[in-house]
Structures are given as C-alpha cells and as structure tokens.
Amino acid sequence: MDYSKYSAIIVGSGFFGSVIAERIASELKKPVLVIEKRNHIGGNSYSEIDPMTGIEFHTYGTHIFHTSNEKVWNYIHKFTEFNSYFHQVLTTYKGKVFQMPINLETINQFYNVNLKPYEVDDFLAKEKAKDKFDQPPRNFEEKAISLIGRPLYEAFIRGYTMKQWNKDPKELPEFILNRLPIRKNYNESYYFSKWQGIPKDGYGKIFEKMLSNPLITTLLNTNFFDIQEKIPSSIPLVYSGPIDQYFNYKFGRLEYRTLHFEAEVHPYEDYQGTSVMNYAESSVPYTRIHEPRHLHPEREYGKKTLTIKEFSSLDDGTNPYYPINDEKNSSLVKKYREEASKLNNVFISGRLGDYKYFDMHETIAAALALFEDKLIALVSV
Ligand code: FAD
Ligand code: UDP
C-alpha cells in the first residue's frame, strides 16, 4: 500500500478518529487513511442488531448521547437524528428498587420519611455530622459521605463502586462522583445535560456516514503496530489507541477496567421495565442489567426481549474500557503525556490516548479542537 498519498493517518475509528477523518476529508478535501484493528468501525460506541429478537444493542455497553455543548450537538446532527429517549436509571438494593441518581424519592424511600425539598439539607446534615472531616474531601469515599452521609453511601455507592473499580473507594479520585448528580427534588434524569437521546438509526449508521466520503479509506482488521514501520514519519499521525502501548509500555502498563457481558433472551415483551437496572450490593456479581429495547421507544419490537448483564474486571490488555485514575496510574500517564508532547507530527488523544474518562460528546469536542487548533494548519500545506 502506498501510504504517502494520504495527508494524514488516523489510528482508531471510534468517535475521536472518525471525527478527525471526517473533518479532514470534508473541510480540507484531503485524502485520509483510517486504520482499525477491530472488524468494525465505531470503537466502543458501536451498536448492532441481536439476530434472535431484532433489538438493537450497544456492543460495548449502553451508550446514551448527552451534551450541553451546542457545537457538538450541531455537529452530530449532520449524521443523525435523535429519538426522544430520556435516560433514567434505577437501582436494586436488598430486593427493592430505588431511583438512581439519589434524589428525594430515594432518600424518602430509604429512610421511610416524607421530606420536602427544603428539609433535605437539615436532614442530611445530621447524617453527615456522624462523620466529621477536618479538611475538604480528598477521595471518592470522603466526597460521597460529605454529600449524602454514610448510610446512603454504604447502600447505593460503596458496593457498586467496589464492583465497578475493584478498589477501595478511598483510593479513587473524587471526580468520578461528579458524573453522578445528587438531587433534593424528584428529578429523575441521569444527566445534567441540556440535550440527550439515542441515534434514531443506531450508532453504526453515524460512523458509516462519517467515514463515507470517498477521500476516506478505512482499513479494518489492521493493527497499527504491524504496519507502523511502513508509514512515512512526514505524514501527520492521529493515534487514538492506548497511550502506553504507543510507547511500548516503556514506563510500565496503565491499568484499565474492562467489561464482559452475558446476554439472555426472555419470552416477554418487557423484562425489567427500564433500559438500565443497577445492582447496588457487592454480593450481586454484576453491576447492572441492560434491556436495550427501552432505548428505542419509537420502534416496534416483537414479543421477546433481550437483557445483558454487565460484569467489570481488570483488563489484561485485550479490551481497555475505563481508565483507572488513581494516584499510581495518574502519575504514570503524566510521564507518557510528557513523551507525547515531544513528538513531532504525532497526536495521541481520545479516551485511551488521553487516558481520560471521556463521554462521547467530550471525545467529539476534543477531536474538533485538535482539528481546528493543530490539524488545519498542518494538513492544509
Ligand atoms: P474508542 O471508542 O475506544 O475507539 C478507539 C478505537 O481505536 C477502537 O476501535 C480500537 O479498536 C482502535 N485501536 C486501538 N488501538 C489500535 C491499534 N493499535 N491499531 C488499530 N486500531 C486501534 N459515553 C457517553 O457519552 N454516554 C454513555 O452512555 C457512555 N457509556 C459508556 C459505557 C461504557 C461501558 C464505556 C466503556 C464507555 C461509555 N461511554 C459513554 C464513553 C464512550 O465509549 C467514549 O467516549 C468513546 O468511545 C471514545 O471514543 P474514542 O474514539 O476515544 O475511543
Ligand atoms: N455509581 C454508584 N452507584 C450507582 C451508579 C454509579 O456508586 O448506582 C458510581 C460508580 O463509582 C460509578 C460512578 O458512580 O463508577 C459513575 O457512574 P456512571 O453511571 O457515570 O458510570 P458509567 O456509565 O461510565 O459506567
């Protein structure tokens, strides 16, 4: 293959790589090559149809598109419309179902009280006073207890977090908890975002459209490291794989959590009444059960339903999903970022490249910024 005819080489066809490729082809009208080691485009946001039920599911875990970033929302609308799906999550604790994120209904049901919103602060203050901290919260556990008190933390957060991260929550950074709103009213939305929904024709179609420009060539089943030596170093390279792998793990391996899924088909139209049911207790081995038919209320699905149990474990290097931003990994990634900043013509980014817990809209925003700030000037010449 003649790599020299491409104006840029992109490693990875998830949102990061696909946005960069699409921008270079559509805006700069230059040929670009996308290299993807999997047998499909779309990275972890990929979706497919279950052959038994005809229900669309998200191969790497349920993905809800949500954003308050108008630029990202306008950009993604070039490739899809969204349905009116509104993300709500429930959690099962000791055989009872509660609202998650924790809201007034969760608090009232858990304590068997009937508080009004204006009474919640005083009520929780008494719970929080049982654990006095002398300084601002330094980790995930302290942050959670300082927000909701120990009993709610122990019931809904601790067990789930231990299953998800297999770490003591004292070793986890507090920012993970910022993803989870805590509400003193009955608002059931999982997100703070202004807009949300599921792509009407599925995520797969977004990537097909993004990469459909004839100036884009996509090579599936191709590992960048198998062909790296053949690629001229004069061509700008955008790499959205794991940053430690790019540097051949020279400072050591970054840790990731991975997931595995167990799918089941049931002879009912509706198994659990909602798209995601979390399981709070550490004695239940899975973190959540997905029921993807609920993601598309506008579609007519048949009489059977699909459920998918999600299990979390440490990645062995095969399927990195979640960066683990504890102290050890954060200082390791710093070293790799310093190495990356010394590279000429090579940009390492995306969820795995930045080793950051990016949602899709954040990934798209980061890709648009790289394109505008660096690549336009570099690739246009
Ligand atoms: P990825 O999607 O991981 O794509 C990277 C691509 O690079 C992959 O296709 C990989 O195969 C390829 N690659 C890596 N190394 C090589 C190599 N050496 N050669 C060739 N190809 C290579 N976001 C939301 O907004 N809402 C959600 O509800 C949501 N839920 C999530 C649930 C789970 C379980 C996970 C893990 C993530 C979730 N996300 C969600 C985040 C979302 O998946 C990411 O923001 C997005 O996938 C990041 O895109 P990316 O392109 O950076 O990385
Ligand atoms: N979390 C929890 N209980 C829940 C849901 C989430 O303790 O029922 C915590 C957990 O630590 C998790 C974090 O909040 O890692 C962020 O949750 P989110 O649903 O955003 O995780 P994701 O969808 O990215 O897996």
Side-chain angles (χ1 to χ4, degrees):
M1 179 167 214
D2 178 13
Y3 296 102
S4 61
K5 66 182 181 195
Y6 296 105
S7 67
I9 310 271
I10 317 295
V11 180
S13 65
F15 265 114
F16 198 87
S18 296
V19 169
I20 299 284
E22 187 279 330
R23 291 287 77 197
I24 292 175
S26 326
E27 284 293 304
L28 308 181
K29 316 262 183 284
K30 299 269 188 180
V32 54
L33 176 67
V34 177
I35 298 164
E36 172 54 61
K37 70 176 179 187
R38 287 177 175 158
N39 63 1
H40 63 77
I41 53 174
N44 278 5
S45 310
Y46 185 64
S47 63
E48 55 191 308
I49 306 287
D50 169 53
M52 298 260 284
T53 57
I55 293 172
E56 180 151 13
F57 70 100
H58 303 161
T59 316
Y60 303 94
T62 299
H63 275 62
I64 318 297
F65 199 94
H66 65 102
T67 187
S68 298
N69 181 330
E70 194 163 6
K71 188 169 172 181
V72 169
W73 192 234
N74 289 339
Y75 175 76
I76 198 72
H77 272 83
K78 291 183 195 206
F79 312 101
T80 186
E81 281 180 49
F82 286 86
N83 69 7
S84 60
Y85 175 80
F86 174 88
H87 197 41
Q88 181 205 3
V89 174
L90 297 156
T91 185
T92 298
Y93 173 69
K94 292 198 172 164
K96 290 220 162 69
V97 174
F98 295 82
Q99 288 286 336
M100 174 57 64
I102 292 168
N103 70 4
L104 187 49
E105 191 176 330
T106 321
I107 297 169
N108 280 338
Q109 192 185 346
F110 181 73
Y111 283 104
N112 197 18
V113 292
N114 192 15
L115 299 172
K116 296 273 186 271
Y118 55 84
E119 295 169 322
V120 174
D121 280 341
D122 282 352
F123 182 86
L124 288 183
K126 283 183 202 131
E127 293 297 309
K128 292 191 255 185
K130 294 174 192 160
D131 287 89
K132 276 258 182 285
F133 297 114
D134 307 331
Q135 62 252 327
R138 289 163 303 180
N139 57 49
F140 183 99
E141 176 168 297
E142 290 183 7
K143 167 98 173 188
I145 293 174
S146 73
L147 285 171
I148 53 175
R150 189 174 286 276
L152 285 165
Y153 163 71
E154 300 270 355
F156 298 113
I157 307 291
R158 187 159 205 279
Y160 186 98
T161 300
M162 303 267 289
K163 281 193 286 189
Q164 169 70 10
W165 299 100
N166 196 27
K167 297 232 178 249
D168 189 315
K170 286 193 197 82
E171 292 170 33
L172 290 169
E174 55 170 286
F175 80 82
I176 294 178
L177 200 71
N178 296 340
R179 295 175 58 83
L180 206 60
I182 307 287
R183 299 210 162 93
K184 295 165 196 165
N185 57 24
Y186 290 109
N187 185 342
E188 293 170 355
S189 176
Y190 201 66
Y191 299 120
F192 299 104
S193 307
K194 202 161 164 185
W195 299 288
Q196 57 177 299
I198 304 290
K200 268 196 176 160
D201 298 321
Y203 285 97
K205 284 278 180 299
I206 297 184
F207 293 101
E208 278 171 29
K209 276 198 187 161
M210 277 183 150
L211 300 178
S212 65
N213 190 313
L215 287 166
I216 302 176
T217 307
T218 306
L219 288 183
L220 293 179
N221 302 307
T222 307
N223 193 324
F224 165 68
F225 297 107
D226 294 340
I227 56 168
Q228 184 176 15
E229 282 176 9
K230 297 180 194 149
I231 299 174
S233 59
S234 55
I235 304 177
L237 177 82
V238 176
Y239 171 89
S240 67
I243 187 167
D244 54 345
Q245 190 175 17
Y246 185 86
F247 293 107
N248 203 15
Y249 311 106
K250 66 179 184 182
F251 301 127
R253 278 180 186 261
L254 288 164
E255 289 175 302
Y256 291 90
R257 299 297 291 166
T258 192
L259 302 175
H260 83 266
F261 300 99
E262 286 180 10
E264 238 177 290
V265 173
H266 305 269
Y268 327 111
E269 258 186 76
D270 194 348
Y271 175 81
Q272 62 180 16
T274 193
S275 58
V276 182
M277 176 68 75
N278 289 357
Y279 284 82
E281 286 150 292
S282 50
S283 53
V284 178
Y286 40 89
T287 47
R288 43 193 177 189
I289 299 182
H290 305 267
E291 188 173 8
R293 74 176 305 135
H294 295 289
L295 298 172
H296 285 284
E298 79 284 7
R299 289 189 189 171
E300 301 259 336
Y301 285 133
K303 297 274 177 224
K304 289 185 191 157
T305 194
L306 173 75
T307 60
I308 303 168
K309 282 187 183 137
E310 180 176 313
F311 299 81
S312 173
S313 59
L314 191 66
D315 181 44
D316 63 0
T318 340
N319 240 336
Y321 277 31
Y322 292 99
I324 302 175
N325 296 101
D326 60 1
E327 266 176 42
K328 184 177 118 201
N329 287 291
S330 300
S331 65
L332 193 52
V333 78
K334 242 184 177 169
K335 288 191 188 168
Y336 283 118
R337 296 279 357 141
E338 274 164 24
E339 287 297 287
S341 68
K342 293 179 202 156
L343 296 173
N344 211 357
N345 246 5
V346 178
F347 303 91
I348 301 180
S349 197
R351 204 182 221 219
L352 304 171
D354 281 306
Y355 195 69
K356 277 196 184 143
Y357 200 154
F358 280 153
D359 270 339
M360 292 178 281
H361 62 285
E362 294 163 321
T363 306
I364 293 171
L368 291 174
L370 175 65
F371 173 73
E372 285 161 18
D373 299 346
K374 302 260 170 67
L375 297 176
I376 292 180
L378 199 64
V379 177
S380 303
V381 289

